[in-house]
Amino acid sequence: MSPFLAVIARDVRLALRQGGGSYWTLLFFVLTVTLFPLGVGPDLALLARIGPGVLWVVALLAAMLSLDRMFQADYEDGSLELLALAPLPLELTVLAKAAAHWLTTGLPVTLLAPALGFLLAVDVTAYPILIAAMLLGTPVLSLVGSIGAALTVGVRRGGVLLSLLVIPLYVPALIFGALAVEATLDGLSPRPHLLLLGADLLVALALTPWAAAAALRLNLE
Amino acid sequence: MSPFLAVIARDVRLALRQGGGSYWTLLFFVLTVTLFPLGVGPDLALLARIGPGVLWVVALLAAMLSLDRMFQADYEDGSLELLALAPLPLELTVLAKAAAHWLTTGLPVTLLAPALGFLLAVDVTAYPILIAAMLLGTPVLSLVGSIGAALTVGVRRGGVLLSLLVIPLYVPALIFGALAVEATLDGLSPRPHLLLLGADLLVALALTPWAAAAALRLNLE
Amino acid sequence: MANLHWLANPGRFLRIANAVLPYLGALTAALLAWGFFAGLSAPHDATQGAPAKIMYVHVPSAIMSMAIFGAMAVASAVALIWKHPLADIAAKASAVIGAGFTATTLLSGSLWGRPTWGTFWVWDARLTSELILFFIYLGYIAIWQAIEDPNRAARAAAILCLAGSVNLPIIHYSVEWWNTLHQPAGLLQGRTDSSMAVPLLTLLAGFFSFYVTMLLWRMEREVVGRKIRQLRLLRAQA
Amino acid sequence: MPDTFAASGLACIRGERIVFEDLDFSLTSGSALLLRGPNGSGKSSLLRLCAAFLAPAAGALTWNGTPITADRDAHRARIAWAGHLDAVKPAFTVAANLAFWLGLAPGGAALAVDTALGPLGLGHLADLPAAYLSAGQKRRLNLSRLSGSRAPLWLLDEPTSSLDDASARALLAVINRHCDGGGMAIIATHQDLALDRVATLTMAAP
Amino acid sequence: MPDTFAASGLACIRGERIVFEDLDFSLTSGSALLLRGPNGSGKSSLLRLCAAFLAPAAGALTWNGTPITADRDAHRARIAWAGHLDAVKPAFTVAANLAFWLGLAPGGAALAVDTALGPLGLGHLADLPAAYLSAGQKRRLNLSRLSGSRAPLWLLDEPTSSLDDASARALLAVINRHCDGGGMAIIATHQDLALDRVATLTMAAP
Ligand code: HEM
Ligand SMILES: Nc1ncnc2c1ncn2[C@@H]1O[C@H](COP(=O)(O)OP(=O)(O)OP(=O)(O)O)[C@@H](O)[C@H]1O
Ligand SMILES: Nc1ncnc2c1ncn2[C@@H]1O[C@H](COP(=O)(O)OP(=O)(O)OP(=O)(O)O)[C@@H](O)[C@H]1O
Ligand SMILES: [Mg+2]
Ligand SMILES: [Mg+2]
C-alpha cells in the first residue's frame, strides 16, 4: 500500500475504533437535525423552507466537532513527529488526513442528508442537487478545517478557539451550498452556485495542504 | 479555599486559558448563531420562528463541544489519579467539574441568549422565559454530560453504546426548554414546561455525580 | 551574540518611531478636525436628512476596515517569507485597530440603518460580510493570545491571516450573488457630489493617518513589552 | 506504634491475563520497598492495587491488619501518588501547578509552595509557564508535591526516570527524610536506588 | 567513504531564552554520541535541532559539509527518531502499530514486522492490543521500529528510560549493530550506556 493510502487507512480505522468517533458525529448530525421539528414545531411548510439551510449548518458543525481529532492525538502521543520525518511530504500527509476526516464525517453526512431532508419535508426534487452540493462542499470543510486543526494543535483542547478560527473560513461553502439547494427549490438553476462551490473546493485543495503543513511544522518546534 | 471551590476555580481558569478565554466562548455562540441566517436565508420572520430552537441547539453544542475537556485532559496527564486520591470525595469532584463546565458554557450562553435572540429577531416578550428555561436547562447539559464524559474517558470499547445512553438523556431538557419559549410566544403558559425542566435538573443533580464518579473509578483501573 | 538578538533592528525602529509620532499625531488631529467640520457644516442630503451625517464616520471606517486587513496580509507574507521581525509586530499591532474600525462600521451602519431601512440589522450580504470580517479579526487576535511563544504565535497568526485573506474577496463579492439593501460602491467613481466627496476624502485621509499613528504607537509598546518579557524570563532562568 | 502495610496472597489480573499470583509483602513505618523486575512483571499494577485503583483478583492488602477496602476514605488519605504521568498543566506556572495540588492535600499542606519547590531545585523556575519545562523539570515538579505531603504511604512509579544525577540524589534524600519521620514508600524502579532502610521485592515475568 | 554529521557554533533559543550557544561536535559513520547533562541543559532541544524540527538561532548543522537545510527531504530520509513519546496507538495491536511505521519508512522497511519485534523481545505480544502494554513494553514497541530502519542517523531521547536491564542491553546491542554497519546515533541520556564506539558531549546547565 502506498504511504498516502496507508495514512488514510490508519486514520479511518482509528476513527472507527476509538470510542466510535465517527458514530458520535453521525449521531450528533441526526440528533441535531431531528431537534428542529421539536424546537420549531410541526409546521411542514416551515420545516421545508429551513430544511436545506439546517442540513448545511449541521453538516458544518458536525465536521467542526470532529476536527480536533485530525492532528491532536498524533501530536500528543508523538506520532506527528514521526509523520513529519516520514518520506511522504507533510503536505500529502495533511491531504491524507483531511481525506480520512472527510470519509468519516463529510461522506456519511452526505449519504444521510436525503433521509434527514425527508424528515424535514424538503422537496424530493432538491435531493440530487443537495447531494451534489454536499459532495462538493463537505471536502472543503475537511480541508479548510485542517488549517484550523493544525494551528491549534499545540493548544490543548482548543475546541472553542478552533471553531472561532474555522467558522469564518467555512462561510463561502455554507452560503453557496445552501443557495444551490434553494435555487433548485425556487425553480432556478443551481449551476452558478455549484460552480462556485467547485471553485472553492479547487482553491482549498490547492492551498490548504501547504498552510496546514506549515502550521504543523511550527508546532513541532 | 475549600477543595471543592479550588477544583472549580482551577477548571474555570484552565478553560479560560487553554484555547479560549471566556469571551471566545461568547464569540463561539455568536458565530454559531450567525451560521443559521447564512444557511436559511435572511428572512427575519422565518428567523424569528426558528430562533428559540436555534438557541437551544447552540446551547447543546456549546455543552457537547467542551465536554471532553471535563475529564479527558486530566486523565491523559495523570491529574485524574491524584484527584481520585484527594480527600474530596470523587462525587464532589465531579460536581465541581460539572459546575466549572456550566460556568464556562451554560452560563455564558444563557446570558448571551437575549442578544442572540435579537440577531434572530425573536420577540422580546419571550426573553424572561428564555433565560429562566436556560438557567434550569443548561446545568442539566453539564451534569448529564459528565456521565458521558466519564464513561468515554480512555475507554475505547463501548463508545457508541455509551453515547447512545447519554443522548436520550439530553433530549428532555431540550424539548422542554424549547417548548417553554414556544408556549410563551404562542400566548400559553410556560409553567408546566419549566416545572418539568426543574424536575429534570433535580434528578440530574441527585444522580449524575454518583454515576459519573463510578464511571471514572472504572477507568482508573 | 549581536546577531542573535533580534531586537537589534527594532531598536532602530524605536528611535525613528519616537521622532515621527508627534508630527503624525498632529496631522491626524488636523485632518479629522477639518474633515468633520466640513462634513457637518455641508448642506443635508436631500432625501436622507441629518442621519446621513453618519456617513462621515461610516464610509471611511468601512474602507479602513478592509484596507487594514489587506495590509496585515502583506505584512504576514513579508514576515513568513523574509522573516522580518517588525513585519509580524506590525500585523499584530494592526489587528486591534482594524477590529476597531470594523466594529465602528457595524455600529454606525446599524445606527444609520434604523432611520433608512427601519431596522438595526438585516442579514444582508454586505452587512454579513462585514460581520464575518470582524470575526476573522477576532480569530487572528485570539491565536496571538493562545500561543505563548511570540515567535510561534507570529507564524501561526500569519498563516491564519493569509488563509483569511483568500476568503475576503469571496465574502466581499457575494454582494453580487445575494440580493442586498446596501448602497453600491459609488464614492470613488466620482458619482458623489463634491460638497460631500471632499470632506469624505479628507476624513478618509484622516482615518488613514490615525491608523498609522496608532500602528506606530502600538508597535512601540509591543517592542518594549517583548524586551521586558525577555528580561523577566532571563531572570527566571538565572 | 509503627504502622504496617501488608499484602497476603495477592493476585492481579489485567486485560484478562494473570499478571502475578500469591504475592506477599509487609512493610512497616520507616522503611521503603523497592519493586524490581522486568517490563510487564506487574510493578505498576501492584502500585495501582496498593492505591486501590485496582481490586485484587485474590488476596488482600491490609493496613494494621484491616483490609484497605474497609475504609476507602481513610486509605485514600494515607497515600501520596506519583505515577508515570506528571499531572502538570502546561497553561499554569510552576508555582500555580504545585499550589493546586498542595491545597488539595489530605489534612492541608505540610509546606508552602516556595518551600516545597526547594528540595528538587525548582525555586528559580517558580514563575515560568510549565509548558516551557524540560522532561526532567516536569518530573521534578510532580515529585515536589511529595515534600509537601503528610501522607504516610508514598507510591512512586519509576520516580528517577528523566532525572539528572543531582536531582535523583535529592529525591532519595527526600524519601529518606520521609522514612526517617516514620513514613513508608513503595517504589517501582529499574535503577539501583541507594536508600537508607530498604527491602527489595523482585517480581518475575508472567 | 564515511559520512560526517557536524555542528559548528550552534545556538538554541527556546521560549525566548538561550538554552546553549557555541556548541560544536562532529560525528562520523560508525560511532555514537552521548548527550549528557543536567535537566534543562538542552539535550532534547539539540536532538530537535538535529532533526530540523527546530531551526538554530546561530550556527549550522552539516552533513558531509552541506547544511542540512539545503535539502530537507534528503535529511529527513536520513533520520530515525525516538523521542520522549512512544507514538503507540492503544486501539491497534502491537503488530499493527509497528507495521504502520515500518510501511512508512524511507526506502521501504529493512525488516518484516515479525523480525523487527524480535530484538527487543516483543514477539510474543504481537497480537495484543497496545492498550495492554506496560510502560516499558510500550517503549520497546517504539524502539522496535529502529531495528527495521535503514536510516543512517538515529536520534534517541532517553531511550533506556522504563526499560528493564535485559531490554536495555538488547537496545545497546541494536545500536552497536547499527554503528558497526556504518550508522551513527545521537543519544540523550542520564544513564551510563556501555556502547562500543562512543563519544560523550556534556552540556552545561544554562
Ligand atoms: C450594520 C450596517 C452596515 C454595515 C456593516 C455596512 C458596511 C459597509 C461597508 C463594508 C462598506 C464599504 C464597501 C466597499 O467599499 O466596498 C460600506 C460603505 C457604504 N455604506 Fe454601509 N454598512 C451598513 C449600513 C449602511 C447604511 C444604513 C447606509 C445608508 C443608507 C450605508 C451607506 C453606505 C455608503 C453610502 C457607503 C459608501 C459606498 C461607496 O461609495 O463605496 N451603510 N458600508
Ligand atoms: N517547548 C518549549 N518551549 C519553550 N521552552 C522550552 C520548551 N521545551 C524546553 N524548553 C526549555 O529549554 C531548555 C532545555 O530543555 P530540554 O528539553 O532541551 O532539556 P533537556 O536537556 O532535554 O532536559 P531533560 O534532561 O530534563 O530532558 C529548558 O530550560 C526548558 O525550560
Ligand atoms: N491498562 C491495562 N489493561 C490491560 N492490561 C494491562 C494494562 N496495563 C498493563 N497491563 C498488563 O499487565 C502486565 C503488567 O503491567 P505493569 O504495567 O504492571 O508492568 P510493570 O512491571 O510496571 O512494567 P514496566 O517495567 O514496563 O513499567 C503487563 O503484561 C501488561 O501487558
Ligand atoms: Mg510500570
Ligand atoms: Mg529531554
Side-chain angles (χ1 to χ4, degrees), chain B residues 24-201:
Chain B
W24 297 352
T25 318
L26 295 181
L27 272 171
F28 167 76
F29 302 136
V30 183
L31 273 165
T32 317
V33 169
T34 311
L35 291 176
F36 283 88
L38 290 179
V40 168
D43 179 348
L44 286 186
L46 185 66
L47 287 175
R49 288 212 43 198
I50 65 169
V54 166
L55 289 178
W56 271 102
V57 173
V58 173
L60 167 95
L61 268 175
M64 291 239 310
L65 249 177
S66 46
L67 261 188
D68 65 344
R69 201 174 66 204
M70 213 188 285
F71 304 117
Q72 191 69 26
D74 281 339
Y75 174 79
E76 284 170 7
D77 71 8
S79 298
L80 202 56
E81 292 170 349
L82 297 181
L83 286 172
L85 288 172
L88 189 67
L90 197 52
E91 286 76 14
L92 285 181
T93 307
V94 166
L95 206 57
K97 283 181 148 284
H101 181 259
W102 180 73
L103 284 173
T104 51
T105 58
L107 182 61
V109 82
T110 303
L111 297 179
L112 214 66
L116 298 176
F118 173 76
L119 273 183
L120 294 175
V122 174
D123 201 274
V124 184
T125 52
Y127 290 178
I129 296 303
L130 177 63
I131 293 185
M134 286 213 153
L135 280 179
L136 287 171
T138 51
V140 175
L141 300 182
S142 296
L143 284 166
V144 169
S146 74
I147 303 182
L151 281 170
T152 48
V153 93
V155 179
R156 325 278 178 183
R157 297 177 296 251
V160 190
L161 254 179
L162 303 174
S163 45
L164 276 172
L165 275 176
V166 170
I167 287 173
L169 298 176
Y170 264 173
V171 171
L174 290 159
I175 293 183
F176 300 140
L179 282 182
V181 184
E182 298 263 306
T184 319
L185 287 175
D186 295 349
L188 303 172
S189 163
R191 231 178 130 242
H193 305 302
L194 289 182
L195 285 178
L196 284 168
L197 261 185
D200 200 6
L201 175 56

Side-chain angles (χ1 to χ4, degrees), chain A residues 81-82, chain E residues 81-86 139 142 145 155-158:
Chain A
E81 293 169 350
L82 297 181
Chain E
W81 172 269
H84 277 302
L85 300 163
D86 288 329
R139 180 131 279 235
N142 186 27
R145 277 187 299 114
L155 303 175
L156 315 179
D157 203 348
E158 305 191 34

Side-chain angles (χ1 to χ4, degrees), chain A residues 3 6 10 14 17-18 74 76-79 81-87 89 220-221, chain E residues 14 48 51 53-54 76 79 81 85-89 91-92 100-101 104-106 145:
Chain A
R10 180 186 91 127
L14 277 175
R17 289 231 192 131
Q18 286 187 334
D74 281 340
E76 283 170 6
D77 73 6
S79 297
E81 293 169 350
L82 297 181
L83 286 172
L85 288 172
L220 280 176
E221 285 199 347
Chain E
R14 296 200 78 174
R48 296 188 91 76
F53 286 141
L54 261 178
R76 232 169 38 197
I79 293 175
W81 172 269
L85 300 163
D86 288 329
V88 164
K89 293 287 173 199
F92 290 161
F100 175 71
W101 293 119
L104 276 191
R145 277 187 299 114

